[in-house]
Amino acid sequence: GNDRKGERSWRDAGRQDEKTDRTRWRMKNDGGVHTWHYLSEEEAARWPMSRADKWYLGMDTGAPTLPPPKTPLQAATNGFSFFSALQLPPGNWGCEYGGPMFLLPGLVITWYVTETPIPTSHAIEIKNYIFARQHPVDGGWGLHIEGESSVFGTAMNYTVLRLLGVDAEDPRLVKARETLWKLGGALNGPHWAKFWLSVLGVLHWDVVNPCPPELWLLPDWVPVAPWRWWIHMRQVFQPMSFIYSRRWSYPLNDLTRELRKELVPEPFDSINFDARRNTIAPTDNYHPKTWILRVLFWFLAWIWFPLLRTEGLKRRAEEHVWWLIEREDENTDYANLGPVNGPMNTLVSYIKLGPDSVPFKEHLKTLPEFLWMNKEGMLMNGTNGVQVWDTAFTIQAANDCGFTADPKWHKTLTKALEFLEDHQIRAECREQAKCYRQQRKGAWGFSNRKQGYTVSDCTSEGLKSVLILQKHPSGAYPQLVPDERLKDAIDVLLTMQNPSGGCASYEPTRGSELLEYLNAAEVFGKIMVEYDYPECTTAVITGLHLFQKYYPDYRTEEIRRFKERAINYIRRAQRPDGSWYGAWGICFTYATWFALESLACAGETYANSERVRRACLFLLGHQMEDGGWGETYRSCEIGEWCQHEKSQVVQTAWALVGLLEAEYPEKEPIKKGIRLIMERQQANGEWLQEAIEGVFNKSCMISYPNYKFIFTIKALGMYAKRFGDEEIL
Ligand code: LAN
């Protein structure tokens, strides 16, 4: 999805780069835990490549040419033939989950400073990936693969290449340095860049805005206490504050001494680090720090840390944070919440317990679960996979096509059900309250059971998909998830509603939006607390709705009240132009589809609802000449529709699903979009990758490569159900 033009000759140097043999890479799926392995030739001969491996690696999958489809359902059948052949043995689907360009640096710096040997195969392919993602014109890197070059992206990825042995005089690095220096160098980086470079010993800790672990000692009633923050922020802040408190740095060596000269234009000894804590390039300053935060940092840096903080307090704070990190490790079996706190917790266990300790070694074993191989090389995923999420949506898309009733697909769908059964979370966390964890028995997370974090919409989508199969009128599917466990899922969902009626992602909102004044990350927006999301709220509404169809007597009144309040939130969240803003997919097409599904669930359609009509008009107002829809990721950043120059199959499918949910009366515009989806399909049933699909924190994009199958198939099926499976091509 990267359409930059203007290759320059400085990139040609890359042609001599080392490569690994693509035919020797395998993805191992151990009950939903994904790791990549580079095999010896003998091993490779014994372990054949799957079609999925080939597809992940961008190789010819050998998928057969299919009879050319004429109708939507024929196209959906071809699409599902291709996609079902990518199903993995435990029953789930896999994919790269790249996009963010700030994740590998945390991992590679952690490996480097803990002197962990990096397998040659991995080192080679990480370099290849980073070079492949270098901006073709200015030689820098951005926050994400489609973003403009920034200090964060450029300084961090440059550092990784150097740590992995690339020569400073490689023309591609010379070019990157030019861009970095133009942006003012690493001292103009955001907080997280300054943090990691101080860990590495390249910058001095004085340049890092203070992260006091003492915050974790605040009583729970305090409005800013960290347990109230969005889970990703507080789980990152934990290890970050521990490491900050120790001011731990890797001892200076020749390479890091060189990096000081390469990353920073000024002579190192002349730098006043304290004065550079708040300097930041405009490219990195998505959410500028507020004056309140600056005053707070000033107080912490000049008064609290040097003058007031006692040894005893420091020790107590570090001990408590360490205890919380131990709980995180225990409750996730070292998988950890995500790819930022994973490496940081690894480093904390190294600092605290040393290289021979069990936790440190367990972390090293687990970290590779974040890595992924694609045709460009090795990248780091945004989570330890997209297993549950994609599998649940695949079942729903198949159902919208009526494939659930077709014996031809029973095996595939039963496998998918087995996977969901296996990955429902079965028990609460130990010390749940003390480590501030949300209820999770009965929930589904986004990736696998091991990671173990409740997500509101993942729980709902998982529940819906299980119900669709287990309650299928054909009786063709085994009853793998017993009633009790379905009710556990409902119990979790019923804890997820905010006073507003809406639902957030991992937990109900615990703190005030004013906490955004303390957002210190600079590169992201809306990160400090949970918010209401139309996407998550819709999933929960429709999950509760489907459940009630089969279990009308379970917690009836609570569910009814929940749904009513949730729908009212959806109504209120509509923008004056008729759309909804999407926080997890790009952007208005994504959330508007969800909201229309909620309203349909409440009986509101085009025929009887003014707000549904406004939403349809919004969507139709953005339909392109060719019948498709396309918005760029800028929509997410600025909160206004930004037109893509090319229509996108995924957004086209979202918009169509929205119009179909709304029962928009005219067939022609919908048919035009369906035709576009059918025309973009390849002879083997596949759709090709287009622009990036997902987003988080408003500014960072993330890939959902399976969406081009899931939502196209869903739209085709819904169209056929509504208008009949007529010939379109
Ligand atoms: C995700 C991925 C899934 C996503 C959905 C389920 C799609 C959404 O509806 C709810 C939120 C959730 C679970 C989500 C939250 C934030 C995540 C985990 C991510 C976008 C994937 C990567 C991102 C994470 C924060 C990346 C690490 C970066 C930090 C700033 C800590």
Side-chain angles (χ1 to χ4, degrees), residues 18-264:
E18 276 183 282
K19 294 252 160 11
T20 61
D21 177 355
R22 280 290 182 280
T23 66
R24 282 162 55 188
W25 284 98
R26 299 289 181 279
M27 203 278 277
K28 180 170 154 208
N29 187 346
D30 193 359
V33 174
H34 294 173
T35 44
W36 279 88
H37 302 267
Y38 191 56
L39 308 182
S40 69
E41 289 191 5
E42 302 84 79
E43 286 167 326
R46 271 182 277 122
W47 177 357
M49 266 187 128
S50 66
R51 188 175 288 181
D53 287 331
K54 291 181 188 161
W55 184 72
Y56 301 146
L57 292 162
M59 294 163 57
D60 181 9
T61 57
T65 298
L66 300 168
K70 292 197 159 33
T71 72
L73 277 186
Q74 288 168 359
T77 304
N78 285 2
F80 203 60
S81 299
F82 182 89
F83 192 50
S84 62
L86 304 180
Q87 190 181 27
L88 299 165
N92 68 302
W93 279 261
C95 61
E96 95 166 63
Y97 194 38
M101 284 303 289
F102 61 93
L103 301 175
L104 272 174
L107 175 68
V108 174
I109 290 175
T110 298
W111 276 341
Y112 186 82
V113 302
T114 59
E115 297 179 352
T116 303
I118 304 175
T120 317
S121 53
H122 288 49
I124 291 173
E125 292 303 344
I126 288 174
K127 284 184 277 188
N128 287 338
Y129 180 76
I130 294 180
F131 276 133
R133 284 292 155 188
Q134 187 171 23
H135 195 292
V137 178
D138 66 27
W141 291 267
L143 183 64
H144 57 92
I145 55 174
E146 292 192 9
E148 297 305 314
S149 297
S150 65
V151 174
F152 194 21
T154 307
M156 300 310 285
N157 286 290
Y158 181 98
T159 300
V160 173
L161 291 171
R162 292 287 283 132
L163 296 181
L164 295 179
V166 181
D167 193 280
E169 294 316 312
D170 182 306
R172 293 165 296 182
L173 293 201
V174 174
K175 186 77 188 171
R177 232 156 38 225
E178 252 174 58
T179 290
L180 179 61
W181 284 34
K182 263 189 220 144
L183 295 171
L187 294 173
N188 272 0
H191 192 222
W192 290 10
K194 288 169 174 164
F195 169 83
W196 279 118
L197 292 173
S198 301
V199 165
L200 186 57
V202 169
L203 297 184
H204 191 280
W205 276 105
D206 286 346
V207 82
V208 182
N209 269 323
C211 303
E214 295 84 306
L215 281 186
W216 285 100
L217 300 176
L218 290 172
D220 286 351
W221 58 263
V222 175
V224 299
W227 72 277
R228 300 174 185 275
W229 303 0
W230 186 42
I231 192 142
H232 277 281
M233 286 305 115
R234 68 176 198 258
Q235 296 302 73
V236 168
F237 182 69
Q238 259 165 35
M240 205 178 218
S241 66
F242 184 98
I243 297 165
Y244 179 86
S245 182
R246 292 285 176 99
R247 294 195 156 216
W248 188 93
S249 281
Y250 190 62
L252 198 64
N253 62 22
D254 288 347
L255 179 57
T256 49
R257 201 173 288 117
E258 288 303 312
L259 274 170
R260 286 182 169 178
K261 293 192 213 131
E262 296 162 28
L263 296 178
V264 183

Side-chain angles (χ1 to χ4, degrees), residues 97 102 192 230 232-233 236 340 382-383 389 446 455 457-458 505-506 524 536 584 696-697 702 704:
Y97 194 38
F102 61 93
W192 290 10
W230 186 42
H232 277 281
M233 286 305 115
V236 168
V340 179
T383 55
W389 185 248
F446 181 70
V455 185
D457 52 357
C458 300
S505 57
Y506 296 79
F524 304 121
C536 300
W584 309 111
F696 57 90
N697 305 348
I702 188 158
Y704 287 82

Side-chain angles (χ1 to χ4, degrees), residues 45 108 146 185 197 208 385 396 499 537 549 575 635:
V108 174
E146 292 192 9
L197 292 173
V208 182
Q396 295 175 30
T537 310
K549 189 171 156 194
R575 293 156 35 102
S635 292

